[in-house]
Amino acid sequence: MDLGILLAMMLIFIGSFVQSSIGFGLAIVTAPILFQISPDYVPAPITTVALFLSLINANRHKATISLNGLWMAFLGRVPGSIAGGFLLYWVDANQLSLWLGVMVLLAVGISLLPIRIQPNPNRMMIAGFFSGFFGTSSGIGGPPIALLLQHQEANLIRANLSAFFVVSSLLSLAVQVPIGYMSLHHFYLSLPLLPASFLGYRAAMHYIDRIPRKTVRLASLAICFVSGMTAIISALHE
């Protein structure tokens, strides 16, 4: 098997472990480095993996899912996804690498904010818009919603984020198809990543009660920072 595919599978394993542990993080951890392996991995294949993983996690936590607070986020997600599609249509690969790096560092910064923002309908709609914009253009749609939900009980966070990501991923893929970012080629690229994602999920379920959530979060943020800087440096040196 090609070394690039093996590295991509390893990254997806780590990202899936993180997302299954804390509720989000798959794309933040993996997207910038996957892009360096091959620009074709971002955003459609990573969105496909996110859909697959979110379906698994949503099914596991289905008893805890509460959609009442998510409808406004879904509503904002639609125009955000379309806006993200327009951005994808206009940027080249080098600009996309820079965009990925900036988005990851921004996500790290948001995750470290000590502020507590209470979710309300207007904030959920705004977060849904930016989740759609970032998610469709870079695959990184989790942080805006996670910022609002981060103070909920852990299982509720995982459940609601998984449900949101299922719908979000479908919307992003629907936008990526007509602009050429999701084709059979991209689908085939996704296939080896799915077993790696499932193994990451299984590992997270095995260790979820043994590793402190804070430890997983801080380790993932460190990986995110390195991957974000890698994407930015790569773009600036082109």
Side-chain angles (χ1 to χ4, degrees):
M1 185 177 289
D2 182 82
L3 181 61
I5 296 176
L6 288 175
L7 181 56
M9 291 172 67
M10 183 183 72
L11 287 167
I12 290 295
F13 172 87
I14 296 170
S16 298
F17 179 90
V18 170
Q19 178 148 322
S20 298
S21 298
I22 65 174
F24 75 107
L26 171 68
I28 305 173
V29 171
T30 62
I33 301 177
L34 280 176
F35 189 86
Q36 305 309 313
I37 297 172
S38 171
D40 289 346
Y41 277 122
V42 181
I46 204 168
T47 305
T48 303
V49 175
L51 173 60
F52 170 78
L53 183 62
S54 297
L55 284 168
I56 294 174
N57 278 306
N59 181 65
R60 177 180 177 85
H61 299 289
K62 60 187 176 184
T64 320
I65 292 174
S66 174
L67 295 178
N68 291 336
L70 294 178
W71 290 114
M72 295 304 289
F74 291 143
L75 193 60
R77 228 295 184 169
V78 175
S81 298
I82 295 171
F86 276 109
L87 178 67
L88 266 183
Y89 185 78
W90 290 108
V91 301
D92 60 25
N94 192 52
Q95 291 170 323
L96 183 56
S97 179
L98 182 61
W99 174 248
L100 276 171
V102 170
M103 284 303 98
V104 168
L105 295 185
L106 179 62
V108 170
I110 289 173
S111 298
L112 292 174
L113 287 176
I115 58 175
R116 184 181 184 122
I117 304 176
Q118 293 296 336
N120 62 34
N122 287 337
R123 288 171 182 164
M124 290 297 286
M125 180 181 284
I126 293 170
F129 175 87
F130 282 107
S131 177
F133 182 66
F134 298 149
T136 301
S137 59
S138 67
I140 303 170
I145 292 294
L147 179 64
L148 290 182
L149 302 183
Q150 64 179 328
H151 297 292
Q152 294 181 345
E153 191 271 327
N155 281 334
L156 191 60
I157 293 174
R158 297 186 193 103
N160 287 342
L161 284 178
S162 296
F164 179 77
F165 292 150
V166 169
V167 177
S168 298
S169 299
L170 289 171
L171 286 172
S172 291
L173 290 170
V175 172
Q176 290 160 5
V177 168
I179 60 175
Y181 274 84
M182 179 57 181
S183 63
L184 277 177
H185 167 67
H186 297 101
F187 176 72
Y188 292 143
L189 274 179
S190 308
L191 293 180
L193 307 182
L194 300 182
S197 179
F198 182 73
L199 290 175
Y201 159 79
R202 293 292 298 172
M205 294 304 101
H206 183 71
Y207 290 105
I208 200 167
D209 296 323
R210 305 184 189 187
I211 304 176
R213 188 168 179 266
K214 184 178 180 180
T215 300
V216 175
R217 178 173 175 270
L218 291 176
S220 66
L221 289 177
I223 296 170
C224 292
F225 180 80
V226 172
S227 66
M229 288 303 299
T230 299
I232 291 173
I233 292 169
S234 174
L236 293 178
H237 278 77
E238 285 294 329

